[in-house]
Amino acid sequence: MSISNSESRTAESSPPQEHSTALRAGSIGVLGILFFVLSAQAPLTGIVGAAPLAAALGNGAGAPGAYLIVGIVIVIFAVGFVAMSRKVQTNGAFYAYVTAAFGRKVGAGAAWLALLAYSTVQAAMYGLYGVAFSGLLASAGIVVPWWLLAVATMAGVQVLGSMNIELGARVLAVLVGLEVAILLMFGFSVLFRGGGPEGLNLAASFSPEAIAGGAPGVAIMFAVASMFGFESTAIYSAEAKDPHKTVARATYLSVGIIAVFFSFITWMLVSFYGPSQVVGAAGAALESGDATSFVIGPIVEMFGPWAGVTTGALLVTSLLAGIIAFHNGINRYLHSLALRGSMPAVVARTNKHRAPAVAAWIQTAVAVLLVAPFVLLALDPVLTLFSWFSGLAVAALLVLYMLCSLAVVGYFRRERVTGQHWQTLIAPSLAALLLGWVLYLVVSNFTSLIGGSTETAVALLAAVPVVFVAGVLVEFRVEKWARTLEPEFAG
């Protein structure tokens, strides 16, 4: 069941009811959606967290090229994704597209995978956020446990998630703008001064030999993680202004900007250290126990101590922006599932701001439940909570991408659409193959990605098929229950 923009307007113009389920139509445009997507990527977090790992454990100076490779794969995927967004307008995105092609049961499995991916990556971000915020306060002589800051932030995010989406977009615009600004200031400063000790060397980072050097699979995994959340463009279609154009423009803009931005900043980091020295510098940062020094160190060296403090603060706000974005995305998945009867109807209720208030409470409760075990067992929030759930989220998302690509082919073949072979057949088929290759790289390098044991890696990866099957079985029971009620209502 899809909820179109026109249906949402009808819900707004109809007489008030005791409980509304309508989202606020026409409340967000291309730039608003773009900020939600960019904040889900958490640009500063992506650079500070992933760059030293991609360089030290991946393909070294060729890491910037990995971002472009993944960007190309996602652009090809986006062709079919956008084509579906024009035919199936809904705030459920992935699962709605899979449902349109393969039916409600498979679609429900996809929905549960999406909820798994978004919920675990948000929980992972809470771990890194708590540590970063606690460290920032500690530098000012204030000692607060990371988990207490995470819980307090969950309460604040709950308030934002229950308010008007425009407020969320404004908050995210400020946070994302500041973190992007300081990274671009660093990047262009390195560029205009001609790089570092070895100058600007395009071939060292973007030639096929450089990209294929070392362990390219690790770098590609982090590049995939940097793209995480771009598909949320379609989640907001029920609230978008002119969704036919808005979703398509926001999707291509977000993918292009993310790929180019991460590639450029990573290249400038490689140039700052020098292609022959960047692996050693990244390894030293990891061994020191402060991996952020790989990025923050050069910023301080170029602009002074104030830049280090500012970057540390912006790292906290970067994580906060990502947390807010995923909170909003999960809300809308839950809301859409309830509208189609796959969850209790109460979950679809919206408040006076036309925000999915009940879904917001559920999402916050899930975040607490995911983070709580790591707190109670006193596990390291970065080495366990952040790394384990980040890896799981990437694996689940790649499976969703592949399912969506296959759904595009299946849907348009069934609808017998002609004259659009690139959008409806060639691009999505190619995307499915390329994504399968990326998923293979992720699985084969998963232990390195999560920094854990083989047993932990297997257990986390097993969650992907288990959750998908659980979604299918729950939907099967829902449909069976609905059929048993039909005779009663008929009578």
Side-chain angles (χ1 to χ4, degrees), residues 194-398:
E198 299 173 38
L200 298 171
N201 190 335
L202 273 172
S205 290
F206 297 103
S207 68
E209 294 78 14
I211 297 172
V218 174
I220 286 176
M221 284 189 294
F222 287 111
V224 171
S226 74
M227 295 285 175
F228 209 113
F230 89 89
E231 69 284 346
S232 61
T233 52
I235 292 176
Y236 298 100
S237 63
E239 298 153 278
K241 302 170 183 175
D242 192 1
H244 281 280
K245 295 180 180 179
T246 299
V247 172
R249 291 171 181 172
T251 300
Y252 287 122
L253 270 175
S254 63
V255 173
I257 290 173
I258 293 162
V260 172
F261 176 81
F262 275 83
S263 182
F264 171 68
I265 298 299
T266 308
W267 181 40
M268 289 301 100
L269 281 168
V270 171
S271 299
F272 177 88
Y273 288 107
S276 66
Q277 301 176 46
V278 68
V279 174
L286 293 174
E287 291 175 5
S288 71
D290 181 17
T292 64
S293 63
F294 179 72
V295 176
I296 295 179
I299 292 175
V300 171
E301 184 176 329
M302 295 192 69
F303 305 117
W306 70 268
V309 176
T310 302
T311 304
L314 288 176
L315 177 59
V316 173
T317 59
S318 172
L319 285 159
L320 177 60
I323 287 168
I324 293 171
F326 282 116
H327 179 83
N328 285 331
I330 295 166
N331 289 352
R332 280 147 183 82
Y333 256 98
L334 292 171
H335 175 269
S336 191
L337 279 168
L339 283 176
R340 68 195 288 271
S342 296
M343 283 193 173
V346 66
V347 179
R349 291 179 185 174
T350 55
N351 59 17
K352 63 181 180 180
H353 301 291
R354 298 291 189 182
V358 176
W361 279 109
I362 294 174
Q363 199 287 308
T364 299
V366 169
V368 172
L369 291 174
L370 288 174
V371 173
F374 295 87
V375 177
L376 296 175
L377 296 174
L379 298 174
D380 187 292
V382 175
L383 297 180
T384 57
L385 175 57
F386 179 75
S387 63
W388 293 1
F389 279 173
S390 294
L392 174 56
V394 168
L397 193 71
L398 283 170

Side-chain angles (χ1 to χ4, degrees), residues 425-470:
L425 178 61
I426 300 174
S429 299
L430 179 59
L433 291 173
L434 292 172
L435 289 165
W437 167 67
V438 174
L439 180 61
Y440 166 77
L441 292 176
V442 169
V443 172
S444 60
N445 292 274
F446 199 74
T447 303
S448 299
L449 173 65
I450 66 170
S453 64
T454 302
E455 292 76 14
T456 302
V458 171
L460 288 170
L461 286 172
V464 176
V466 168
V467 168
F468 177 82
V469 172

Side-chain angles (χ1 to χ4, degrees), residues 76 79 409 413 420-432:
I76 295 173
V79 172
V409 176
R413 295 287 73 73
Q420 301 179 28
H421 296 301
W422 168 247
Q423 296 97 320
T424 64
L425 178 61
I426 300 174
S429 299
L430 179 59

Side-chain angles (χ1 to χ4, degrees), residues 122-123 126-127 129 146-161 320 323 327 360-361 363-372 375 385:
Q122 189 204 43
Y126 269 121
Y129 167 85
W146 74 268
W147 60 267
L148 187 58
L149 294 169
V151 171
T153 301
M154 288 177 189
V157 171
Q158 165 62 28
V159 173
L160 277 178
L320 177 60
I323 287 168
H327 179 83
W361 279 109
Q363 199 287 308
T364 299
V366 169
V368 172
L369 291 174
L370 288 174
V371 173
V375 177
L385 175 57

